[in-house]
Amino acid sequence: MPPLVDTHVHLNFPEFAGQERELQRRWRAAGVVGLVHACVTPTEFPAMQALVRQMPELSCAVGLHPLEAHRWGPEVRQAIAAGITQGERVVAVGETGLDYYKATNRTEQERAFWEQLLLAQEHDRAVIVHCREAAVPMRELLGRFWAQRGAVRGVMHCWSGTPEEMQWFLELGFYISFSGIVTFPKAQAVQACAAMVPAERLLVETDCPFLAPVPHRGQRNEPAYVLPVAEKVAALRGESLARVAQQTTENAQSLFRLPVAVA
């Protein structure tokens, strides 16, 4: 199997409790040689770190999800900073961003996101960006940040927008990561994005345990299922699976500066 990197997982969620070794066996069989564990809130960081110490393929992020933005304050900021500087294989800040689909506390979300962009910049880490029903305000906020503070490297994770919106974030230097959504028959805009994103900005992920791809749709998702995501992306681009796997693995290494050899 060609090597793959799943750039967004949540293995500490209760759906996976006690099954980590079996998951690892299956992802290795599917060719997955690297994973990035996203963070919802710093309180889960110790459990994530326990997994990192057990699994050499696993790196992680630390941050606060936009749906948890009401928790933002000095203690949370300090916890994220401590995770970056004291944790093992911490390659990113996040996931952070804006979610105007499930929450309306826009001011709180924007403040927490801005502060985490600062942390990513200060500590030279990538940022994992969640953006749901918020492409326009996301573009505006990032534009202000770039103008006032300078650029931050990062990824628009679990991309679900349009080609036009994707171009906004490509112009800001972001990578675009595709999840199981790209395999859904009605996800035509996402499929169009996967076909046209520049090769050097392309990533794949599962966002497990959510959004299992076809043919596993409706089931609990897991890292091994990044393979059908990559297969669909390859088909949409008219490229071989080996080519997409190699490119996305190299891109993951470049963005996250992965500390383990994954190619």
Side-chain angles (χ1 to χ4, degrees):
M1 301 298 295
L4 288 162
V5 176
D6 184 349
T7 60
H8 200 103
V9 302
H10 296 278
L11 299 183
N12 65 307
F13 279 20
E15 290 91 331
F16 297 128
Q19 302 175 52
E20 293 85 3
R21 290 303 178 190
E22 182 61 21
L23 291 168
Q24 186 182 46
R25 183 191 67 78
R26 289 198 293 270
W27 81 52
R28 287 177 172 177
V32 178
V33 295
L35 309 92
V36 179
H37 197 305
C39 184
V40 175
T41 172
T43 57
E44 66 180 351
F45 189 66
M48 291 166 51
Q49 283 283 282
L51 291 170
V52 165
R53 287 190 287 270
Q54 296 171 32
M55 298 174 171
E57 304 100 314
L58 194 61
S59 298
C60 69
V62 59
L64 189 72
H65 192 284
L67 295 179
E68 301 292 329
H70 59 282
R71 303 180 186 276
W72 185 263
E75 291 183 359
V76 171
R77 192 186 198 284
Q78 183 178 3
I80 294 173
I84 296 169
T85 58
Q86 300 172 23
E88 297 182 37
R89 298 203 295 273
V90 180
V91 299
V93 172
E95 65 186 276
T96 180
L98 304 175
D99 191 320
Y100 294 168
Y101 178 75
K102 288 188 175 181
T104 58
N105 58 334
R106 297 190 175 194
T107 300
E108 287 181 329
Q109 289 191 39
E110 291 180 5
R111 178 191 175 204
F113 183 35
W114 185 280
E115 291 294 322
Q116 289 176 87
L117 290 170
L118 288 172
L119 281 166
Q121 190 177 64
E122 177 182 348
H123 296 282
D124 192 22
R125 294 299 194 277
V127 62
I128 298 173
V129 178
H130 173 111
C131 181
R132 191 170 185 190
E133 299 297 326
V136 171
M138 174 70 71
R139 179 194 191 188
E140 293 172 350
L141 185 150
L142 290 172
R144 292 197 306 273
F145 191 94
W146 264 229
Q148 296 176 26
R149 306 304 299 250
V152 177
R153 71 182 193 275
V155 56
M156 304 302 294
H157 113 85
C158 194
W159 181 251
S160 60
T162 67
E164 179 185 10
E165 291 166 347
M166 181 179 73
Q167 188 60 39
W168 299 343
F169 302 112
L170 288 171
E171 290 172 359
L172 290 168
F174 279 88
Y175 291 70
I176 308 295
S177 183
F178 295 91
S179 69
I181 292 173
V182 78
T183 70
F184 298 172
K186 294 183 179 179
Q188 295 176 351
V190 175
Q191 291 170 357
C193 289
M196 67 178 61
V197 63
E200 67 274 11
R201 300 286 190 84
L202 174 64
L203 294 171
V204 289
E205 64 172 87
T206 58
D207 198 15
C208 65
F210 312 109
L211 298 171
V214 175
H216 308 285
R217 191 174 183 183
Q219 303 172 22
R220 182 199 68 183
N221 203 1
E222 62 176 84
Y225 296 168
V226 78
L227 177 56
V229 174
E231 290 173 336
K232 181 64 175 181
V233 170
L236 290 166
R237 296 174 68 83
E239 299 175 358
S240 68
L241 172 61
R243 173 60 182 158
V244 167
Q246 177 184 359
Q247 184 71 63
T248 55
T249 295
E250 291 174 356
N251 292 347
Q253 286 180 304
S254 177
L255 172 62
F256 294 112
R257 299 175 184 169
L258 295 178
V260 292
V262 295

